[in-house]
């Protein structure tokens, strides 16, 4: 990596030290940047400063090496931004009352603006609708700094593609899409990311890069909805949808495997497509029907799971009200502890609302960050399996004793076909 300041490492600020920001910070330290990880969450920052990683993809060892290098500072103090060369914004972009909430980006840009210097680069990585970088972020940066984008400082957008827990594709070997506002900015942003990842893919402008991310996530969202709806119909028709999915997957071209489940979760799929449909409606005045249909199907999956549990118990002359239900997995995907928007949490809430007593097994979930009250986190022991009237496999983390679940006396609903077809599947 080249240095531009009399041999000093370029100063990189990462605004937001979450699932996206922390891995970038670690990689940047590794290749030689002087990194400030700014976050507003004091608990997170003091944890990081003490060598405690809250992100599965960043090991404690990696964090400790970064801290020991003297080139990583996690802080809530914005004075640490002084003199930055490059800033990357990785703050949340949630929905508020079903509408995009861009206040985190606005605050992050306003925080950076007074520290902007001529020649500096600011890149947005948060997932958002096309136009956010140019129409929302740039005016805030210009107003707060008194500098002109393109002429005096450089702006870019690069969507994050991180897949938490993926053992094959991590930050470095996943191609990174990059764009700049203007050709020079694109060149600068591209050169920056080339120091961090194996391959950068340039697109002509921030809007194309913003849309790329939404296309990727909408594609997944729609295809998951397709197999979810198919699973419901196939069951009613007496057809094993899982067998059909396996068979279709043998086609070597033109097909991509998606499997049914209790819904979609995490920061991305339940949220990002709605950013796109919101923009289509606001700008063009009509709906993005695929997104709305996919939302509709996926949002109803937790209700469908509960309905299946009720039917299963009913066949045993048991009511859900008062029954013991053991959930396997609360995180939204296997081998992570992330319960944001997790459909498993929604299933738990619905079961509780129906009067069930609910326990859950999830070795990855931090009990202090559990997003549902009234659920007891337990280990998967023979006693807990025996306690249950119904067991529902919602998230198939590795390393659990699925044999015990497959042979439970209880009614078992396997939403992931983890029990090899031995029990009822979604
Ligand atoms: N998690 C993923 O797998 C993933 C993948 C691709 C894209 N994204 C996108 O990346 C963005 C960040 O997601 P995340 O999962 O890292 O979120 P996160 O909640 O894990 O982390 C965001 C961090 O930003 C901090 N923050 C909020 N406002 C701030 C401010 N003004 N200044 C400094 N820090 C601030 C929060 O305290 C938090 O620690 C979102 O737009 C998300 O959609 C996430």
């Amino acid at each position: 990596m080249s240095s531009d300041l009399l041999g000093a490492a370029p100063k990189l600020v990462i605004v937001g030290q979450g699932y996206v920001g922390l891995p970038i910070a670690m990689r940047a330290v590794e290749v030689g940047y002087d990194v400030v990880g700014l976050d507003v969450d004091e608990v997170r920052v003091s944890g990081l400063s003490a060598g405690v990683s809250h992100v599965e993809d960043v090991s404690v060892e990696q964090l400790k090496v970064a801290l020991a290098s003297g080139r990583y500072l996690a802080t809530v103090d914005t004075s640490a931004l002084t003199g930055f060369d490059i800033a990357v914004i990785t703050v949340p972009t949630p929905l508020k009352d079903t509408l995009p909430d861009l206040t985190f980006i606005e605050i992050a840009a306003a925080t950076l603006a007074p520290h902007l210097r001529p020649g500096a680069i600011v890149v947005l990585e948060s997932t958002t609708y096309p136009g956010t970088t140019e129409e929302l972020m740039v005016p805030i940066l210009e107003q707060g700094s008194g500098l002109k984008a393109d002429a005096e400082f450089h702006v870019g957008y690069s969507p994050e593609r991180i897949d938490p827990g993926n053992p094959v594709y991590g930050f470095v070997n996943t191609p990174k899409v990059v764009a700049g506002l203007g050709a020079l900015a694109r060149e600068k942003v591209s050169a920056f990311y080339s120091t961090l990842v194996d391959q950068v893919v340039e697109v002509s402008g921030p809007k194309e890069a913003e849309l790329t991310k939404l296309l990727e996530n909408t594609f997944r969202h729609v295809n998951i909805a397709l197999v979810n709806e198919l699973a419901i119909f196939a069951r009613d028709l007496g057809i094993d949808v899982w067998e059909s999915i396996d068979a279709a997957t043998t086609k070597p071209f033109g097909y991509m495997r998606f499997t049914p489940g209790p819904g979609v979760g995490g920061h991305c799929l339940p949220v990002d497509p709605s950013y796109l449909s919101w923009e289509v409606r606001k700008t063009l005045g009509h709906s993005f029907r695929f997104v709305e249909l996919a939302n509709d199907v996926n949002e109803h999956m937790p209700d469908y799971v509960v309905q299946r549990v009720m039917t299963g118990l009913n066949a045993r002359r048991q009511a859900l009200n008062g029954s013991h239900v053991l959930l396997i997995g609360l995180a939204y995907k296997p081998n992570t502890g992330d319960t944001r928007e997790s459909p498993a949490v929604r299933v738990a809430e619905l079961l509780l609302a129906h009067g069930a007593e609910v326990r859950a097994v999830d070795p990855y979930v931090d009990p202090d960050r559990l997003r549902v009250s009234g659920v007891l986190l337990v280990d998967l022991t023979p006693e807990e399996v025996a306690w249950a009237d119904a067991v529902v496999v919602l998230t198939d983390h590795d390393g659990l004793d699925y044999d015990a679940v497959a042979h439970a006396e209880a009614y078992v609903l396997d939403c992931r076909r983890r029990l090899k077809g031995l029990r009822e599947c979604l």
Side-chain angles (χ1 to χ4, degrees):
M1 184 189 64
S2 70
S3 151
D4 59 349
L5 300 174
L6 298 173
K11 180 166 176 175
L12 171 64
V13 170
I14 313 280
V15 186
Q17 290 295 275
Y19 285 88
V20 172
L22 188 59
I24 302 173
M26 293 300 104
R27 174 64 179 157
V29 171
E30 207 174 88
V31 302
Y33 288 92
D34 200 351
V35 179
V36 173
L38 182 77
D39 206 293
V40 289
D41 184 333
E42 295 195 6
V43 176
R44 223 162 231 201
V45 165
S46 51
L48 288 171
S49 307
V52 180
S53 169
H54 55 275
V55 172
E56 288 100 3
D57 290 343
V58 172
S59 67
V60 168
E61 291 70 38
Q62 203 180 358
L63 180 58
K64 289 201 166 142
V65 168
L67 289 165
S69 75
R71 284 183 288 101
Y72 175 61
L73 172 71
T75 184
V76 291
D77 181 3
T78 56
S79 69
L81 306 185
T82 306
F84 76 80
D85 300 293
I86 306 158
V88 177
I89 299 177
T90 65
V91 294
T93 43
L95 292 172
K96 192 173 179 188
D97 299 330
T98 73
L99 299 177
D101 176 6
L102 297 175
T103 48
F104 295 94
I105 295 180
E106 288 168 355
I107 294 168
T111 306
L112 288 171
H115 302 277
L116 252 180
R117 298 181 302 155
I121 303 169
V122 179
V123 187
L124 180 62
E125 286 220 8
S126 301
T127 306
T128 183
Y129 62 81
T132 306
T133 305
E134 286 179 64
E135 290 151 23
L136 181 95
M137 189 177 84
V138 166
I140 297 171
L141 292 173
E142 288 183 335
Q143 206 188 357
S145 65
L147 300 174
K148 282 302 288 171
D150 202 13
E152 291 169 288
F153 68 97
H154 311 291
V155 169
Y157 182 83
S158 177
E160 184 47 74
R161 282 173 158 169
I162 208 157
D163 182 19
N166 189 319
V168 179
Y169 289 106
F171 180 70
V172 177
N173 66 350
T174 302
K176 192 118 178 67
V177 172
V178 298
L181 193 62
L184 181 59
R186 183 170 63 234
E187 201 179 293
K188 297 255 179 200
V189 173
S190 186
F192 162 59
Y193 281 108
S194 299
T195 63
L196 301 180
V197 300
D198 294 342
Q199 190 193 346
V200 293
V201 180
E202 293 184 11
V203 293
S204 64
K207 285 182 182 166
E208 284 71 23
E210 289 161 333
L211 185 61
T212 303
K213 175 72 188 175
L214 295 181
L215 167 63
E216 290 167 7
N217 282 353
T218 303
F219 174 82
R220 273 190 71 71
H221 189 49
V222 166
N223 278 287
I224 291 170
L226 173 69
V227 289
N228 277 340
E229 191 167 35
L230 197 64
I232 295 171
F233 290 155
R235 179 179 163 77
D236 291 345
L237 293 169
I239 303 168
D240 184 343
V241 74
W242 294 90
E243 211 182 314
S244 303
I245 290 170
D246 283 348
T249 307
T250 62
K251 187 177 178 189
F253 46 85
Y255 183 79
M256 187 177 284
R257 180 184 177 86
F258 289 89
T259 51
V264 292
H267 194 303
C268 297
L269 294 198
V271 176
D272 301 348
S274 298
Y275 267 66
L276 193 50
S277 62
W278 175 83
E279 200 200 15
V280 169
R281 189 175 281 286
K282 181 189 71 139
T283 312
L284 305 176
H286 53 77
S287 64
F288 189 162
R289 289 167 296 167
F290 267 102
V291 170
E292 288 175 15
L293 183 60
N295 276 340
D296 190 41
V297 173
N298 288 333
E299 281 169 9
H300 277 95
M301 290 310 290
D303 299 275
Y304 177 68
V305 169
V306 172
Q307 186 201 316
R308 288 282 299 274
V309 175
M310 272 184 196
T311 310
L313 286 171
N314 191 48
R316 296 170 167 230
R317 298 173 179 273
Q318 282 179 291
L320 179 55
N321 193 346
S323 282
H324 295 172
V325 184
L326 182 65
L327 304 179
I328 309 295
L330 281 179
Y332 82 92
K333 65 184 292 191
N335 307 327
T336 84
D338 192 349
T339 55
R340 290 179 298 177
E341 313 285 336
S342 174
V345 170
R346 182 72 191 133
V347 168
E349 288 169 346
L350 290 168
L351 291 168
L352 288 167
H354 279 97
E357 208 178 306
V358 182
R359 295 184 182 177
V361 174
D362 198 318
Y364 290 85
V365 169
D366 176 353
D368 295 336
R369 290 193 173 238
L370 194 58
R371 286 175 157 77
V372 55
S373 60
V375 174
L376 185 66
L377 268 183
V378 295
D379 292 331
L380 184 54
T381 60
E383 292 73 29
E384 293 299 344
V385 174
W387 167 86
D389 299 304
V391 183
V392 189
V393 180
L394 293 165
T395 315
D396 54 338
H397 294 305
D398 292 332
L400 294 176
D401 181 6
Y402 289 104
D403 232 28
V405 178
H407 296 101
E409 286 281 312
Y411 164 72
V412 177
L413 177 63
D414 181 2
C415 299
R416 303 289 181 179
R417 207 187 45 174
R418 182 68 189 229
L419 309 177
K420 302 188 181 89
L422 290 173
R423 303 299 294 252
E424 200 173 300
C425 286
L426 200 63

